[in-house]
Amino acid sequence: MRLGASAYLADAPLTGPTFSAAAEAGATLAFTSLHIPKDSAAGARAAATAIVSAATDSGLSVVADVSPNTARLLGDSPWEFLQSIGVARVRIDFGFSVAEIRSIAAVLPIALNASTLRAVDLAPFADLDVELIHNFYPREWTGLALASVASSVAVARSFGWRVGAFIAGDSVRRGPLGEGLPTVEDHRTIPPLFQVLALVDAGVDDVYVGDPALTDRSWARLGSFVRDDVVVLDGVAAPGVHPAVVETLAISDRNWPDAAEAMIRLEHSRERFAGLPLPEGGGQPRPAGSVTVQLPAAGRYCGEVAITLRDLPADDRVTVVGRLSAQVPEFRARSFTTLLH
């Protein structure tokens, strides 16, 4: 998976810090919209140059969203100009004919709209260097279903193309609505890391943060996933849990290959936790997101750590040592670690 950050003229002060944080997290891509509300070619060119320059300074490759109005505002030879300032690819949103798109593609690689175009619409470009990138949806309840994104991946694969999509931010959200810029509606209010995991599991190749900023913690969590392929789960320790238990939870582990429906079971936890000073009493409620350990009464399962994916009944053989800060999605075969504070 490739990670990308976004920048917009209205949020110009955030551009440099966002691109820098993204690059530190392992991002290699930048997205910007060049539907520029300017009335002169000189102003439009300066605005585009500033954003591309900031991305280039952070080592990010720029995808620019363009329309016929972009071409008018940029003046003569708009695509050659974008190529000259370092834009790596242009995303064709709307308003161009097939012939016009092919003429743009003769200058710059293109991306097409994964949200609106069908296989028959894409066929005229089968011989070109193309990527598909979804829309983001600024207004609540207008985003796509995850199944629609998965379907677009199947179409892209038939052409041998990559697919990109957007996640919503958890810090500064783009105005005027400020409701987030995800591709998938169900992602609008969940942590950025969990949005990424869902898109990657659906087959998406490139994930862009649609909004102009993330919290430092979210960039760090995305960085752990992108650079190290480790999913970090944040939570809060239960009162009185021994520090050795908390420290051992921070060691990376994996879900069992025969994953349970109701919980994530840490594959190597029994040997790590059975000898630790576990709480003496079990039988606490286990709502979704609980971090639990099997007690000696569980026999050979003593020390097994699990994270509940749904509400489970109390069990005297199981003690709750913490709770995650957000409901966790199911995990496929990937490493993760749990940080309880």
Side-chain angles (χ1 to χ4, degrees):
M1 184 207 92
R2 298 187 303 186
L3 178 64
S6 297
Y8 308 97
L9 295 178
D11 301 291
L14 298 172
T15 299
T18 291
F19 285 164
S20 178
E24 187 173 345
T28 57
L29 300 172
F31 175 84
T32 191
S33 171
L34 294 183
H35 301 261
I36 304 172
K38 296 279 186 179
D39 55 9
S40 72
R45 288 184 174 225
T49 301
I51 288 179
V52 176
S53 177
T56 302
D57 288 345
S58 292
L60 305 181
S61 179
V62 179
V63 177
D65 205 45
V66 298
S67 69
N69 190 50
T70 305
R72 287 192 294 271
L73 290 172
L74 291 179
D76 294 337
S77 304
W79 317 121
E80 287 79 3
F81 167 72
L82 292 180
Q83 181 190 55
S84 74
I85 64 171
V87 170
R89 188 177 297 270
V90 290
R91 179 180 183 268
I92 311 297
D93 194 5
F94 58 86
F96 293 101
S97 68
V98 169
E100 288 170 330
I101 293 172
R102 292 190 67 90
S103 70
I104 296 169
V107 180
L108 277 167
I110 62 170
L112 297 173
N113 194 324
S115 298
T116 61
L117 299 179
R118 303 163 298 168
V120 65
D121 304 312
L122 300 170
F125 312 107
D127 60 319
L128 301 179
D129 178 359
V130 176
E131 294 177 4
L132 299 184
I133 301 178
H134 277 278
N135 290 333
F136 52 57
Y137 294 90
R139 187 162 60 89
E140 193 176 20
W141 308 121
T142 61
L144 303 182
L146 186 59
S148 296
V149 174
S151 295
S152 75
V153 171
V155 172
R157 296 291 183 268
S158 70
F159 289 97
W161 297 340
R162 301 178 68 90
V163 178
F166 292 88
I167 63 169
D170 62 348
S171 178
V172 178
R173 289 187 158 188
R174 189 185 185 196
L177 297 180
E179 295 177 0
L181 299 179
T183 292
V184 175
E185 183 58 41
D186 284 348
H187 292 174
R188 198 174 296 275
T189 58
I190 68 173
L193 174 61
F194 293 172
Q195 298 179 58
V196 169
L197 294 177
L199 290 173
V200 169
D201 283 348
V204 171
D205 303 290
D206 304 321
V207 178
Y208 299 85
V209 180
D211 286 293
L214 287 182
T215 63
D216 290 343
R217 173 173 287 187
S218 287
W219 279 125
R221 300 302 176 252
L222 292 182
S224 293
F225 179 59
V226 171
R227 296 190 311 266
D228 306 321
D229 198 27
V230 173
V231 174
V232 178
L233 305 176
D234 289 290
V236 178
V241 173
H242 198 280
V245 173
V246 175
E247 291 172 8
T248 306
L249 282 168
I251 299 172
S252 292
D253 208 330
R254 300 175 73 84
N255 196 1
W256 282 82
D258 51 340
E261 179 185 6
M263 64 179 67
I264 297 168
R265 302 164 60 207
L266 273 65
E267 187 173 13
H268 303 290
S269 56
R270 294 181 205 172
E271 57 267 33
R272 290 175 178 165
F273 285 82
L276 295 181
L278 301 176
E280 294 183 0
Q284 300 90 357
R286 292 184 290 169
S290 297
V291 183
T292 68
V293 182
Q294 299 273 346
L295 296 172
R300 68 185 182 92
Y301 291 97
C302 178
E304 182 169 288
V305 175
I307 298 169
T308 59
L309 297 174
R310 65 187 190 199
D311 296 348
L312 297 178
D315 186 330
D316 290 340
R317 299 166 298 177
V318 181
T319 186
V320 175
V321 296
R323 184 164 298 171
L324 298 185
S325 302
Q327 187 169 341
V328 63
E330 293 186 38
F331 281 97
R332 299 193 178 180
R334 55 170 58 101
S335 297
F336 65 94
T337 185
T338 305
L339 297 183
L340 299 184
H341 305 281

